[in-house]
Amino acid sequence: MTPQERARRSAQAMWAEDNASKWAGMEITHIDEGTATLELTVEPHHCNGHGICHGGVTFMLADSAFAFACNSRNQSTVAQHNVISFIAPGRQGDRLRAVAREVSLTGRSGIYDVTVTNQDGTVIAEFRGMSRAIKGQLFKE
C-alpha cells in the first residue's frame, strides 16, 4: 500500500465515525501522508453575536484538518496540545479552507501547522497542533 493509499483509507475510516465534522458541514478536499485539507462554507448558524464566524467553528475546522493529517499513517493519534491565533474574521458565505501539514514527527509525538484561509486567500487563522500516537489503528492492515 502506498503512503497516499494508506492516508485515504485512514481518512475514510475516520470520516465514517466523525459525526462532529460532518455535522458542522466540513468536507475533506485533500488527503496525503502528513497533510490534509478540509473546507467549510460559513452558514448563518456558524456566526456569533458580532455577525462573524465563531472562533470555535474556525478552531474546529483547523482541529479536524490537524486530526486527519496526524492520523494519515493508520496509527491512532490524538491531540496533546493546540493553540490558535485568529488573524481576520470569517464572514457568512465565506468558504474557509484549513490546510494542515506535518512539521515534525518523532516517535509518538508530532507537530502540525494549519493555516485557515477564505476563498480570496486571506489568512483567517494560524493553528499549531501537537499530537500523540496511542494504541490502535483506524483500519486493519
Side-chain angles (χ1 to χ4, degrees):
M1 180 176 313
T2 69
Q4 187 176 51
E5 290 169 339
R6 182 173 289 108
R8 285 185 181 158
R9 289 204 48 201
S10 296
Q12 289 170 347
M14 276 185 59
W15 188 255
E17 302 297 322
D18 187 349
N19 295 318
S21 295
K22 289 184 273 194
W23 169 80
M26 296 178 204
E27 63 181 289
I28 301 169
T29 58
H30 170 79
I31 188 75
D32 205 340
E33 186 178 76
T35 185
T37 303
L38 272 69
E39 297 186 21
L40 165 92
T41 299
V42 179
E43 301 291 344
H45 64 274
H46 294 131
C47 294
N48 64 20
H50 296 290
I52 59 176
C53 185
H54 192 288
V57 173
T58 303
F59 185 96
M60 186 180 185
L61 177 63
D63 187 48
S64 290
F66 159 67
F68 282 93
C70 68
N71 280 276
S72 63
R73 290 181 174 84
N74 193 28
Q75 171 64 54
S76 293
T77 304
V78 296
Q80 186 173 37
H81 173 81
N82 297 324
V83 63
I84 193 165
S85 295
F86 298 104
I87 314 255
R91 304 203 179 275
Q92 185 177 328
D94 280 354
R95 181 71 173 174
L96 300 185
R97 172 181 289 155
V99 178
R101 67 175 184 82
E102 189 174 86
V103 174
S104 172
L105 182 61
T106 306
R108 294 175 50 208
S109 299
I111 301 173
Y112 295 79
D113 283 343
V114 184
T115 300
V116 180
T117 58
N118 68 12
Q119 67 281 353
D120 299 323
T122 301
V123 176
I124 302 300
E126 292 287 353
F127 170 107
R128 175 158 274 194
M130 279 55 89
S131 69
R132 187 74 171 167
I134 60 173
K135 291 180 182 178
Q137 293 182 309
L138 301 164
F139 66 92
K140 189 170 175 87
E141 253 187 285

